[in-house]
Structure formats: C-alpha cells, structure tokens
Amino acid sequence: MFEQLSERFQSAFRSLTGRGRLSEANIEEALREVRRALLEADVNFKVARGFVEDVKARAIGEDVLKSVTPGQQMIKIVHEELAALLGGRADTFRIPSGAPAVVMVVGLQGSGKTTFCAKLASYLRQRGKSPLLAAADTYRPAAQDQLATLGGQLGVPVHVGEAGADPVGIASTALREARETGLDVVILDTAGRLHVDEDMMSELDRIREATKPVEILLVLDSMTGQDAVNVASEFAGRLDFSGAVLTKLDGDTRGGAAVSLRAVTGKPIKFAGVGEKLDALEMFHPDRMASRILGMGDVVTLVERVQEATDLEDAAKLEEKIRKESLTLEDFSEQLQALKKMGPLDQLVGMMPGMSKVGRVDVDERALARIEAIISSMTPDERRDPGIIDGSRRKRIARGSGTTVQDINRLLKQFDAMKKMAKQFGRLGKRGKLPGGIPFAM
Amino acid sequence: MRKPFSRLRDGLAKTRRAITEGIRGALDRGTGLDSAALDSIEETLIAADLGVETAMHLIAGLRERFGSGATTEDEVREFLALEIERALQAAETEGVQGEPGAPLVVMVAGVNGVGKTTTIGKLSRLHVDEGRSVILAAADTFRAAATEQLSIWADRSDAHFVGGQLGGDAAAVAYDALDAAIARSADVLIVDTAGRLHTQKNLMQELVKVKRVLGKRLPSAPNELLLVIDANTGQNALSQARMFDEALGLTGLVLTKLDGTARGGIVVAIARELAIPVRFVGTGEAIDDIEPFDSSEFAKGLLGVDEAPSETT
C-alpha cells in the first residue's frame, strides 16, 4: 500500500538519519519533501499543507535540534502525527444483537460497494451473525445479479427487488424479510452515485429514514485523487455516515485519499479491502498504516496473518521437531500450505520491514506450486527420510511432478540448508517463537 | 463534431472554476508572479490532479515566460492552456483502422470499477450509429454478472453479443468472438475484459494471452487497445497506464466519469510521461454520453479559455 510514500519519506530524512548536525534549513528541506510526498500520494493539497505545519510546529516545540538523534526524532514525530491523523487506534465494528440491524453501504460508481457488501457478509458470518444481502442498486445493469451471484458463492441469502422497483421499497421489504426469517443483519447495497447528484442523494436520505441503519459505510476507492475531500465531505454532510471503507489497497496506490478523508470528516476508516477474494477484508489499522508509510513495515499484520493461518498445536509440534532435529519434507510441505493460506506472497513481502526500499520484489508463486508437486510425487518414506532419494528415485519424482532432476536436486539442497538452519535454532535452546515460519529461500 | 462546445466542457466545469479562481486569487495580491503567486498557482494545478511533476513543469514555464513581473489573469490562463494542449497533442496518433475486409478489433482493459463495460456499451452505440455492425465479446469471465451487464449494453446499442461461462477462459471467449465476427463479416468487435489491478502479475499475463490469442485468429488484431481510466483517479493512474502499456502496448485511453466533479488532470501527466493519447471521454451514465477526445478543447475547457458565446445561453 503506501510504499512509494514511505520511499519519499525515507529519502527526505536520509540526511537527518545521518550523524551530521541538523539545522533549521534541514528541517525545512525535509518538510518540503514530506509535503511533496503527500501531494504525490494524492493527499489533498490543503490537508498536506496543514499536516506539514503541524509537524513543523511540533518539531520546533520539541526542540528536535537539541536531541541526540534529531533525524529519528523527526521521523517519530511525522509517524505519530500521521497515525493520529489516520485515526490513532483501530476502530471496532460491532453490530448490536436483537432486532435485525441494517448496515447501509454507499459510495461513488465503481468504488467497490457490491464486492465489499459480500466481503462484509462473509466477515459477519464468521463472527456468528446471520446476514441478509439486499440489492437496492436498481440502476446499474445486472448489479442485482452480481450481488445474487456473490451471495450464492457465500451461501448467504440475497434479497433482490423487482425490476424497476423503488430502492427505498426494496430496503424496507428486505428488513421485513430478515425479521420474518430470523436473520440479524441486513447489508444494504445501494447504487453508485455522484455526491453532487441531488436526486440520488435524497434517495439515500429516504432509505436511511425507512431502515434506521446502525452503520452507514462510505466506500472510497483508495486510488481517488484530489476530489476525495469533496466526496467525503458531501457524503458526510448529507448522510452523516458512521465510517469509511478503503478499497483496492492491494494495488500500488499511495492512498493519500485516506488521509484526506480523515482530515475533512474525522470519520473512522473501519475496513480495508485488499483483494478480489471474498475474504480479502481487513480492519483498518491507522498505526500500522502509518508505520508502513514510513517504511517500518507492517509486521503486526504479517504476524496476525501467520497466526490465523497456523494451527497453534501444529506450531508447537514444529518447534518440538526443530529442537529434536527431526524435520521432514512432510513438515516442509505443511509449512507451504500454511504460507499459501496467508495470501499472495508479494503482499506478504511488502509488509516486511525494509522491503519497500528494495523495490518491487518478484515472488514466483509458480515455484511454490512446483515444490508442492515435487513433494507430493514422493513416497511417504522419501518424505520422512530424503536421504534415501537416489538417482533413479529422482528421475521418477521428476517424471511424476512434471519437473526435471535439477529441480529435485535444488529442492533437496534447499531443504538440507533449511534443516541446518533449524538445527542452529534448536541449539539456541530458546523457546523462541517460530510462528509458522517462512522456512525456505527461493 | 456533434456540437461546437460539447459535454466535455461541462464535465470540466467545476475544475475550471477552481483553476480560474485560483489564478485570479494568486494574482489579486497585486505583486505579480512572485514566488507566492507561483506557489499558489502550482497548488491550483495539483488540485486538478495534474500531479506535482507536471504542475512544477508548467510553473517553470510560467516563470520563464513572464519573469516575476505583472501579468494578467488571461495571459496566465492562455499560456497554461497552450502548454497543456501541446503536451496532449504531442501524444496524439493517427486513428486506428482494421485490416481491409476484416473486423476492426478493439480490446478494452482497466482496473476494477473504472467503467469498462459501460464504456463499451457507449462505443458500441457510436459505431452502430455510424452504420457499422458490432459484436461485443464478454471476456470478463471473473466478475459475477459482468456477462449479463454487457449483454444488456449489447441490446441497448443494437449490437450482437458473444459470451462465455463465469470462471471460463477469457482468451477462449475472445477467440470465439473473433471467429464469429469474421464469419458474420461484422465491422467491429469490442472485447471486454475483467477489471484487474495492474500489480496483479498473473491477471496481467491473462490479458497478454487474450491479446495473443486474438492475434492468432487475425494477425492485425487487436487493432486498438484501450485502457479505461476513471477521471476521479489521482496519481495512481500513471502507474496504471505505465504497467498496462508495458504489458499490452496501449493505443489509447478512455477517460470516464468526467461528469462535473472529477478532475481528469492526470491525462496530461500520462501524455507527458508516457505519450499515450486519449481517444474518448465518457461524460455521464447515458448511452450517448461519450465523445472523441479533443486536446485543444480539453485544455481550453480546463483553463476557461475561449468561452463560447453559445455557452452563455
């Protein structure tokens, strides 16, 4: 997500992180870079100006010049201010129990509302709710079909209105349907609309009146340019939405729209959309996002994903094996499976500290698939004791997995190297956490 | 040209107002083009999504042309309009043509939610209105109901339609559609593709495959490769254009949703840095809300130069 912005910040502060002395002119220079980075990230120019002034005031107030490591001090201030601007702490998303609660989803055309509605349904169901998806977009051709298909994929019921029906009516009947069938959340997908379209905006007013939603979420494309401030403030003025959702953050957008939205409305950003799969929804964590902006990496998200994908018991077993130096190719294969559950590799790499400096990293997912094929072409004995894999076995495995003997050799070599590394970990004797591990080097 | 000053100008209305007011405000201080005035004009340009790089380039040009002396608002606007027009014109190319006796094949790509399918419906209408027979190919086999959406647009624009299965092979749909277009001697084939972020390697490879497969059936195909860009998009549009161009070799852009609030300034940056021309602009949700892009009109519309007499009515 904000990779390029963090690069800009890093280059802005390169002179500050050195041991050289810092002058007021240095600070000015760094702040100019900060401003430029924010503008290139599509942060609204007024917001960027205000942010730079705040940072400057704080930097002077805290006497950065006199501190031992002025560069670090500056980075800390910029980071803290940015995190504060983005919302400080992660927001909670709670749906009251009891009568069916309505979550209304609004936004411009193409911001990703329908996909988000499906993701939210999946998210809520995982947390014990019974959602109903309601398609109140009667304008875009086939929009209702899209929601119905997504609902079908998830196994979540979808309320679809009659062709040409009034969106307000659809919303009300959906609510009634939820009440009658004992569902506790209605997720209302509304048509994309322009914030200056008076008729369409007043339709949202009427839907709100009719359904009394507990949450109104504004879906904002994270690639939005300078107009994000107007979109956010018009929707806020008109609907007083309760939170925002930032979509398409899995691309390379710098996402300054998030900063603009927060600055002009003060509304919390509650979710981040990070992919097209229906489980690619995350809570928005302002502090992590700010860390990421500054190139500190998004370690917390990485660790969380690892934990989600790894069974604790499995992890304990693995640790045990590492200590006993009895790691097998079967374990290796299990690790790969866990890794795959965590999401696309290039996304994971982007979260690691320092990786934004390296630039684009090419992670070959196909190499992973090859390794899997190789391991699954082995006999159980071979997996437990790779030592027995001789020349003719190698040939057989290569044929079975559609690879070459060289591929098999490489994998076995890597596995050997990994085992040696694991041994060293084991000898350290620490019960150091190896959460799922990323035990291979391609 | 359907009318002298078209909807493109209306689409830029809000941005134009902001820019003209910004320039007026900058010069109102009465200190000429001093650095404070230039800074403030620069911000005005950035606010139109022109990007820092392009805005700085334009400001440097202003400084060189006028020094720091007194200048009128009109001079500044005319100078900037001319510079922007030149940048856009430098990227212009000859329009594409199909092989004689074969359909003109247009392939349309873009990130999610920019309005590809709607744009195709409108392009289809343009061709049909000019008497051509059109086939629309739904090679977006990923997004739920994308095929249905395109088939509705085919009906609305009196075009024929070739679709595939959800989750099917996009390249196969494209190939079959081209086959059908050749068999039925259609004049134009427009291929819709699934929205994808330009950073998704595998999905970009899929697009390359769609393009390659079209070329297998008809060597000149696709004749036109259009990237659809949402006029609300900020600087990320540059990254989109760069990476789609690297993968596919774009022949042009379609700027969508230029409906009054969006800025659209990013096309100037794309023209300057990547030399990719804008072919069409979408200005609304109705089927005829599309028109060929005109560099001069866009530049003048953005800066409020040459207010047409007809517009004041």
Side-chain angles (χ1 to χ4, degrees):
Chain A
M1 299 174 209
F2 295 74
E3 276 91 357
Q4 289 136 312
L5 187 53
S6 51
E7 274 160 34
R8 303 289 316 182
F9 274 171
Q10 278 172 358
S11 79
F13 288 119
R14 196 159 293 142
S15 59
L16 298 187
T17 47
R19 266 188 291 167
R21 290 199 67 83
L22 201 65
S23 65
E24 229 166 286
N26 276 150
I27 293 188
E28 283 290 336
E29 165 67 26
L31 288 174
R32 245 198 311 280
E33 284 298 322
V34 170
R35 173 180 170 273
R36 182 170 172 169
L38 293 171
L39 290 175
E40 284 183 347
D42 293 319
V43 173
N44 179 266
F45 70 97
K46 284 182 194 153
V47 175
R49 201 198 285 150
F51 179 79
V52 168
E53 273 161 22
D54 288 349
V55 169
K56 188 177 172 186
R58 230 189 107 181
I60 290 167
E62 288 188 11
D63 237 344
V64 172
L65 298 185
K66 284 187 194 148
S67 86
V68 193
T69 51
Q72 294 294 331
Q73 186 70 13
M74 262 313 267
I75 288 176
K76 185 165 163 273
I77 291 172
V78 173
H79 172 242
E80 282 177 5
E81 289 291 321
L82 202 56
L85 187 52
L86 284 166
R89 286 179 313 120
D91 218 273
T92 51
F93 187 78
R94 269 196 216 97
I95 297 291
S97 42
V102 175
V103 179
M104 189 171 154
V105 179
V106 302
L108 299 185
Q109 290 93 339
S111 51
K113 286 176 298 301
T114 305
T115 305
F116 168 72
C117 284
K119 287 180 180 179
L120 184 64
S122 161
Y123 175 91
L124 289 173
R125 201 180 42 184
Q126 272 172 26
R127 280 152 187 80
K129 295 282 177 189
S130 316
L132 171 70
L133 284 163
D137 179 356
T138 53
Y139 300 90
R140 181 162 60 95
Q144 301 202 37
D145 295 344
Q146 186 185 353
L147 195 68
T149 309
L150 292 174
Q153 284 170 11
L154 289 168
V156 168
V158 180
H159 177 92
V160 175
E162 306 265 305
D166 170 36
V168 184
I170 294 175
S172 307
T173 46
L175 186 54
R176 199 178 318 131
E177 184 185 320
R179 208 172 280 133
E180 282 163 5
T181 52
L183 300 171
D184 50 17
V185 188
V186 179
I187 301 169
L188 210 55
D189 182 23
T190 65
R193 65 201 72 217
L194 215 53
H195 48 293
V196 291
D197 187 331
E198 185 50 40
D199 291 346
M200 290 295 279
M201 289 303 276
S202 77
E203 179 191 284
L204 289 182
D205 275 343
R206 282 181 281 125
I207 294 177
R208 183 184 53 179
E209 278 308 301
T211 60
K212 305 270 186 274
V214 296
E215 290 270 0
I216 302 176
L217 297 176
L218 172 70
V219 178
L220 185 71
D221 185 330
S222 61
M223 296 183 280
T224 309
Q226 293 282 326
D227 203 49
V229 282
N230 295 323
V231 175
S233 59
E234 291 282 341
F235 270 97
R238 201 57 213 244
L239 265 185
D240 192 30
F241 60 87
S242 55
V245 180
L246 213 57
T247 56
K248 306 179 200 172
L249 272 170
D250 48 329
D252 62 350
T253 175
R254 307 180 199 186
V259 179
S260 301
L261 178 132
R262 284 282 314 169
V264 296
T265 66
K267 303 283 185 194
I269 299 170
K270 300 202 170 187
F271 291 102
V274 289
E276 287 191 77
K277 288 197 184 141
L278 295 181
D279 56 0
L281 186 66
E282 290 178 355
M283 302 303 286
F284 182 82
H285 294 281
D287 46 341
R288 296 182 199 173
M289 196 62 89
S291 298
R292 203 168 165 144
I293 291 170
L294 296 173
M296 295 170 176
D298 190 1
V299 178
V300 192
T301 303
L302 184 63
V303 169
E304 261 185 14
R305 284 213 190 166
V306 169
Q307 281 170 348
E308 262 175 40
T310 347
D311 194 308
L312 274 181
E313 231 169 89
D314 286 354
K317 258 191 262 168
L318 185 73
E319 249 182 82
E320 183 69 22
K321 283 192 167 169
I322 289 173
R323 265 205 308 281
K324 289 191 178 157
E325 301 173 12
S326 60
L327 211 59
T328 67
L329 273 166
E330 271 170 350
D331 303 321
F332 189 71
S333 169
E334 274 169 29
Q335 289 295 295
L336 285 184
Q337 297 300 333
L339 189 66
K340 269 172 60 184
K341 273 194 274 177
M342 282 182 252
L345 281 182
D346 40 3
Q347 246 186 57
L348 294 177
V349 169
M351 289 177 195
M352 293 178 199
M355 287 315 260
S356 65
K357 264 187 286 183
V358 181
R360 294 188 60 79
V361 182
D362 286 327
V363 187
D364 190 355
E365 304 255 355
R366 273 179 307 187
L368 272 192
R370 227 168 12 242
I371 293 175
E372 269 190 275
I374 292 173
I375 295 180
S376 55
S377 296
M378 294 177 181
T379 66
D381 281 346
E382 286 167 348
R383 279 177 225 157
R384 276 191 291 272
D385 182 12
I388 64 169
I389 305 178
D390 55 16
S392 81
R393 283 177 192 256
R394 281 175 207 221
K395 268 189 216 152
R396 191 205 77 239
I397 295 167
R399 265 202 313 276
S401 57
T403 57
T404 64
V405 173
Q406 283 78 21
D407 289 330
I408 316 286
N409 292 344
R410 201 176 312 127
L411 172 68
L412 290 174
K413 232 188 199 161
Q414 280 176 354
F415 177 69
D416 234 32
M418 178 189 134
K419 239 174 126 175
K420 272 186 202 138
M421 236 169 66
K423 267 183 201 168
Q424 284 171 356
F425 271 114
R427 285 208 199 96
L428 286 175
K430 278 186 191 166
R431 287 188 57 92
K433 253 200 178 165
L434 227 123
I438 299 178
F440 66 98
M442 292 304 302
Chain B
M1 284 288 107
R2 281 176 291 184
K3 47 187 148 171
F5 276 105
S6 57
R7 274 161 296 187
L8 169 60
R9 213 176 164 92
D10 298 339
L12 290 167
K14 215 175 149 198
T15 312
R16 170 171 59 247
R17 204 176 315 132
I19 289 185
T20 47
E21 278 167 15
I23 293 172
R24 187 171 308 142
L27 292 173
D28 259 2
R29 280 174 272 222
T31 47
L33 274 179
D34 61 355
S35 67
L38 287 171
D39 276 356
S40 134
I41 295 174
E42 184 188 278
E43 280 188 343
T44 296
L45 296 172
I46 286 171
D49 281 333
L50 283 153
V52 179
E53 213 45 66
T54 302
M56 279 169 55
H57 171 82
L58 291 169
I59 293 301
L62 266 183
R63 194 183 288 124
E64 198 174 300
R65 168 75 180 75
F66 298 106
S68 57
T71 329
T72 66
E73 198 189 316
D74 285 352
E75 280 177 317
V76 170
R77 284 193 292 141
E78 272 161 26
F79 174 84
L80 291 174
L82 196 63
E83 286 291 301
I84 288 173
E85 184 181 331
R86 277 195 193 131
L88 290 168
Q89 266 166 359
E92 280 175 15
T93 55
E94 291 285 311
V96 294
Q97 276 178 339
E99 233 173 278
L104 171 77
V105 180
V106 181
M107 180 171 159
V108 180
V111 303
N112 317 64
V114 290
K116 283 178 295 302
T117 308
T118 306
T119 297
I120 288 171
K122 294 174 179 178
L123 284 176
S124 172
R125 181 82 251 172
L126 274 186
H127 283 297
V128 170
D129 280 350
E130 286 172 20
R132 296 184 199 104
S133 61
V134 178
I135 295 183
L136 304 186
D140 179 354
T141 52
F142 180 80
R143 183 164 60 92
T147 297
E148 287 85 340
Q149 190 184 347
L150 190 70
S151 85
I152 293 171
W153 280 112
D155 281 347
R156 287 184 186 172
S157 62
D158 299 312
H160 293 278
F161 171 78
V162 176
Q165 294 292 317
L166 189 64
D169 179 16
V173 176
Y175 188 92
D176 289 349
L178 181 50
D179 219 29
I182 293 169
R184 299 182 210 164
S185 330
D187 298 318
V188 183
L189 171 70
I190 310 178
V191 182
D192 191 13
T193 61
R196 66 205 72 214
L197 291 180
H198 45 294
T199 50
Q200 293 164 329
K201 279 228 168 73
N202 295 344
L203 294 179
M204 291 302 280
Q205 282 312 309
E206 185 197 81
L207 271 189
V208 173
K209 185 179 159 197
V210 171
K211 182 189 174 186
R212 194 174 56 233
V213 162
L214 286 170
K216 270 191 186 152
R217 183 66 189 83
L218 182 70
S220 68
N223 311 93
E224 177 105 280
L225 234 157
L226 296 174
L227 177 70
V228 179
I229 294 218
D230 182 334
N232 289 297
T233 309
Q235 303 308 299
N236 192 252
L238 253 177
S239 177
Q240 292 171 21
R242 185 175 293 121
M243 290 171 77
F244 273 99
D245 189 38
E246 275 170 15
L248 296 170
L250 300 175
T251 61
L253 307 175
V254 181
L255 186 66
T256 56
K257 308 188 196 176
L258 198 69
D259 42 21
T261 63
R263 319 297 171 106
I266 194 62
V267 294
V268 182
I270 295 175
R272 276 192 68 227
E273 291 188 29
L274 303 170
I276 303 171
V278 187
R279 289 255 193 261
F280 295 95
V281 220
T283 52
E285 285 190 307
I287 197 160
D288 53 358
D289 287 338
I290 192 165
E291 54 192 49
F293 183 78
D294 181 323
S295 298
S296 167
E297 199 186 335
F298 182 88
K300 287 173 177 161
L302 201 60
L303 271 304
V305 173
D306 281 358
E307 293 289 340
S310 64
E311 205 184 35
T312 56
T313 56

